[in-house]
Amino acid sequence: MKRSLLYIILIITAILCLLPFVWMISASLMTTGEANVFPPKFFPSKITFSQYQNLFSRLNIARYFINSIVVSVGITVISLFVNSMAGFAFAKYRFSGQKNLFKLLLSFMIIPAQVTMLPLFLMLKYMGLINSYMAVIIPGIASVFGIFLIRQYLIAIPDSLIEAARMDGASDFQIYFSVILPLAKPILITLAIFSFMGAWNDFLWPLIAMTNDSMYTLPVALASLMGEHNQDTELMMAGSVVTIMPILLVFLALQKYYIKGIMMGGIKE
Amino acid sequence: MREKNKFKLSAAYFFLAPALITIFIFFLLPVIAALLMSFTDFDIYSLGNIGYAQFVGLKNYIDIFNDPLFWTSLKNTFYFVIVGGPLSILVSLAAALLINSKLIQFKSFFRIVYFIPVVTTLVAVSVLWRFIYHPKFGILNYLLGFIGIHGIDWLGNPQFAMPAIILMAVWKNFGYNMIIFIAGLQNIPEDLYEAASLEGASAWNQFKNITLPMLAPTTLFVGIITMIGYFQLFAEPYIMTQGGPLNSTLSIVLYMYQEGFRWWNMGYSAALAFILFFIILIVSLIQLKIQKESYI
């Protein structure tokens, strides 16, 4: 009795989580105007891909898709190296001021990114980088959270592995590259998903840094499309599907690592 | 030994350098520059020639305190944080308790489904919900029609616009904190509950006297990250309402964006950003203090 009540609540919640997406996908397959009816239709009378054709042929969405891919992959790859190196240094080396430096970095996490955006915009403008991929990639390179996550993971790895490699004459960089990186693979995958998703979904900074139409990422393009086509429900739903699908697939493929990462970040120390 | 240590030291700096240099140039310097900027009248003319910017002391801050639009944006943001934050956390906790229940199977299935709104792009979700909230054709009003509620103009009515944004935020975000709560629940030693059961404690008493106190550190963590995130409300009103109707969803970050990047009043905008930072700082400190006092 109690069990079936729990299941009913869980299933209703699951339906509420998925229903908006079901409607989104089905509206994206309707002909123009078909989604603006009462009562709302949950299935197209005849499936059509014309909204998607419109997006790709007339509205240049392939370009925005590529922009999003370049920026997100760029941030993920670069930040993985930068943060894993720093996390390694904090976990396995002893230097003066180490504890305080780490604490200082952690305290930065409370500063909202919006505080940096005005000077950052001016800086990148003077460097001629506004409307370039670098403008979006650069602020995403180093992440205190990433350094923290890697440090926590590496601390648990026994020093003897490093000492053994050193005995064999490996340099510090070789140790990092061929001992630490392979050992840290699970946490690196976790961090890669975090970075990729964060970059793919990011809106405010790309909105500021990409003022030229051809450099828009998908969220920025979608927002600007919304301005012109806010009555074209079916078209906007197709745009939303194109924006959401890649990230959803990445999540479903790698969700085990992602959820583990959140649990690790949640249980501190 | 000494020799080896020295060698290690230079390596440590080598590994730290890329991260520290980027954080210094592209994070710390801009923070300091923003603080300085907030004491200037940096505007669209200074954008072309930085020499036009003048130090004006606290003028921006004084102007902000006399700016009714700032107080509106502050009120709206607090509305979102104070109502939306606890509501999100309650739903997260309830979902975590449900999924963690021993009676339930398919735990990972539910976990993944509840998590899907979290990973999807906020801008796309806001676009989607704009249509869900459509007064005539939206599925929300259609569903509400079955329980006799009709014709709410969710995003067009100043009274309903912020609740609509909160509802969407709860739907979008509860899965994240739910995962953290599940981790917290799994860390509570099973024998505490066994001992309590032996002494005949009811389920409610076990929840109140074991689960809640043991979850306190998790709740604090969840409370702080949720609050920090919610103070930065931006994309939802930008996409769904443009801050309207009648500025009822204008948030601090949206106001800051408009002042800084639409009107190029960058000095004024920087001051707004710092006020946001100080509010977040103070509220975090208060939360930490309350937590310390009630659980020592």
Side-chain angles (χ1 to χ4, degrees):
Chain A
M1 185 54 214
K2 194 183 164 202
R3 179 186 305 232
S4 34
L5 184 68
L6 290 183
Y7 272 116
I8 290 171
I9 300 174
L10 281 168
I11 289 166
I12 290 177
T13 313
I15 292 173
L16 289 177
C17 284
L18 295 180
L19 195 64
F21 296 118
V22 172
W23 183 80
M24 170 185 78
I25 293 169
S26 99
S28 78
L29 299 171
M30 293 176 183
T31 52
T32 304
E34 206 186 341
N36 288 343
V37 291
F38 187 87
K41 287 163 80 172
F42 284 91
F43 297 99
S45 50
K46 189 174 146 287
I47 289 179
T48 164
F49 291 96
S50 63
Q51 309 300 341
Y52 292 94
Q53 276 164 3
N54 204 349
L55 281 175
F56 281 93
S57 65
R58 208 164 57 79
L59 296 166
N60 214 7
I61 205 167
R63 168 81 204 199
Y64 308 136
F65 197 92
I66 292 169
N67 292 344
S68 272
I69 293 275
V70 172
V71 163
S72 308
V73 171
I75 287 180
T76 307
V77 172
I78 299 173
S79 74
L80 226 45
F81 278 105
V82 169
N83 294 327
S84 64
M85 281 178 9
F88 174 44
F90 276 118
K92 294 297 174 199
Y93 289 88
R94 296 289 153 264
F95 50 91
S96 60
Q98 182 179 27
K99 267 212 176 106
N100 289 332
L101 183 62
F102 191 63
K103 270 190 197 155
L104 182 72
L105 283 183
L106 284 184
S107 72
F108 288 167
M109 283 212 274
I110 203 163
I111 303 178
Q114 290 86 349
V115 170
T116 65
M117 286 179 182
L118 297 150
L120 202 55
F121 173 82
L122 293 177
M123 229 160 109
L124 294 170
K125 187 172 172 286
Y126 293 131
M127 293 163 82
L129 290 177
I130 290 298
N131 282 318
S132 74
Y133 292 130
M134 286 318 281
V136 175
I137 293 175
I138 284 173
I141 287 177
S143 127
V144 175
F145 177 69
I147 297 172
F148 170 79
L149 218 57
I150 300 229
R151 173 188 176 265
Q152 301 306 89
Y153 190 86
L154 290 182
I155 277 181
I157 287 179
D159 288 345
S160 54
L161 288 169
I162 297 171
E163 293 307 324
R166 208 184 290 282
M167 291 297 186
D168 292 342
S171 74
D172 287 68
F173 189 75
Q174 282 168 335
I175 291 173
Y176 161 75
F177 205 79
S178 40
V179 178
I180 295 298
L181 283 190
L183 281 171
K185 205 172 137 201
I187 195 71
L188 290 178
I189 297 177
T190 302
L191 196 58
I193 313 168
F194 268 108
S195 316
F196 187 82
M197 283 188 176
W200 186 273
N201 292 337
D202 195 15
F203 178 52
L204 180 52
W205 179 246
L207 178 71
I208 292 168
M210 303 302 211
T211 53
N212 184 338
D213 181 278
S214 68
M215 293 304 288
Y216 285 175
T217 57
L218 280 171
V220 179
L222 203 60
S224 125
L225 222 58
M226 188 74 192
E228 301 155 35
H229 296 268
N230 66 47
Q231 301 303 320
D232 294 345
T233 312
E234 304 79 11
L235 181 77
M236 290 312 301
M237 289 306 108
S240 301
V241 171
V242 173
T243 307
I244 284 176
M245 268 316 150
I247 207 70
L248 196 58
L249 295 178
V250 170
F251 167 68
L252 290 177
L254 300 168
Q255 49 89 13
K256 196 179 71 191
Y257 294 96
Y258 189 61
I259 287 177
K260 213 187 275 165
I262 296 173
M263 289 180 155
M264 275 187 67
I267 309 164
K268 310 163 295 173
E269 266 112 21
Chain B
M1 219 41 207
R2 208 123 248 253
E3 226 17 62
K4 194 169 144 199
N5 227 352
K6 223 173 171 181
F7 171 68
K8 278 179 125 185
L9 210 62
S10 62
Y13 292 137
F14 167 79
F15 287 127
L16 281 173
L20 292 188
I21 291 171
T22 352
I23 289 175
F24 181 76
I25 299 180
F26 297 104
F27 185 80
L28 204 54
L29 272 187
V31 171
I32 297 163
L35 183 63
L36 294 177
M37 209 171 179
S38 74
F39 299 119
T40 71
D41 62 356
F42 203 107
D43 59 10
I44 192 160
Y45 302 107
S46 327
L47 206 57
N49 182 349
I50 201 165
Y52 286 134
Q54 296 278 327
F55 266 93
V56 291
L58 289 173
K59 182 173 182 298
N60 288 324
Y61 292 93
I62 294 165
D63 287 350
I64 286 173
F65 281 94
N66 293 314
D67 177 356
L69 224 44
F70 163 71
W71 292 106
T72 306
S73 72
L74 188 71
K75 196 191 79 199
N76 294 337
T77 308
F78 267 94
Y79 183 178
F80 183 71
V81 173
I82 289 174
V83 178
L87 204 60
S88 299
I89 293 173
L90 274 178
V91 174
S92 304
L93 180 59
L97 289 168
L98 273 175
I99 287 189
N100 208 46
S101 160
K102 283 189 207 68
L103 300 170
I104 295 295
Q105 280 174 308
F106 315 110
K107 288 176 197 293
S108 61
F109 168 77
F110 287 115
R111 220 168 50 176
I112 293 171
V113 170
Y114 294 0
F115 207 78
I116 285 176
V118 177
V119 297
T120 47
T121 314
L122 180 56
V123 169
V125 164
S126 302
V127 167
L128 167 60
W129 276 72
R130 230 188 93 133
F131 294 105
I132 288 176
Y133 281 136
H134 194 286
K136 276 221 284 279
F137 310 129
I139 51 175
L140 183 64
N141 273 359
Y142 171 70
L143 294 177
L144 286 176
F146 289 112
I147 53 169
I149 301 170
H150 291 283
I152 297 178
D153 188 1
W154 289 98
L155 299 173
N157 181 331
Q159 285 207 298
F160 287 113
M162 189 54 92
I165 287 180
I166 289 173
L167 181 67
M168 188 193 94
V170 172
W171 174 86
K172 169 108 174 54
N173 298 320
F174 82 91
Y176 192 90
N177 290 334
M178 175 192 78
I179 299 289
I180 301 178
F181 274 128
I182 291 176
L185 286 170
Q186 287 171 352
N187 271 357
I188 302 177
E190 197 53 40
D191 44 348
L192 286 179
Y193 292 106
E194 280 161 20
S197 295
L198 283 178
E199 287 173 20
S202 68
W204 169 247
N205 272 327
Q206 290 186 23
F207 175 72
K208 209 176 64 180
N209 298 320
I210 301 173
T211 312
L212 276 189
M214 292 298 283
L215 273 185
T218 313
T219 314
L220 174 71
F221 176 76
V222 161
I224 290 179
I225 57 164
T226 305
M227 189 266 311
I228 292 179
Y230 276 22
F231 265 117
Q232 301 175 24
L233 175 68
F234 173 75
E236 298 92 327
Y238 182 94
I239 302 285
M240 294 164 76
T241 58
Q242 293 83 45
L246 300 174
N247 293 322
S248 61
T249 55
L250 180 74
S251 66
I252 298 181
V253 176
L254 183 55
Y255 189 41
M256 189 209 116
Y257 170 81
Q258 290 175 345
E259 283 296 320
F261 293 101
R262 189 167 298 160
W263 313 120
W264 302 106
N265 293 324
M266 298 184 97
Y268 196 78
S269 182
L272 284 169
F274 262 89
I275 291 174
L276 174 71
F277 172 33
F278 279 114
I279 293 172
I280 290 178
L281 187 66
I282 288 166
V283 177
S284 307
L285 291 177
I286 292 174
Q287 266 178 307
L288 277 168
K289 200 163 156 48
I290 291 175
Q291 186 85 10
K292 264 195 192 133
E293 276 169 7
S294 48
Y295 288 100
I296 278 180

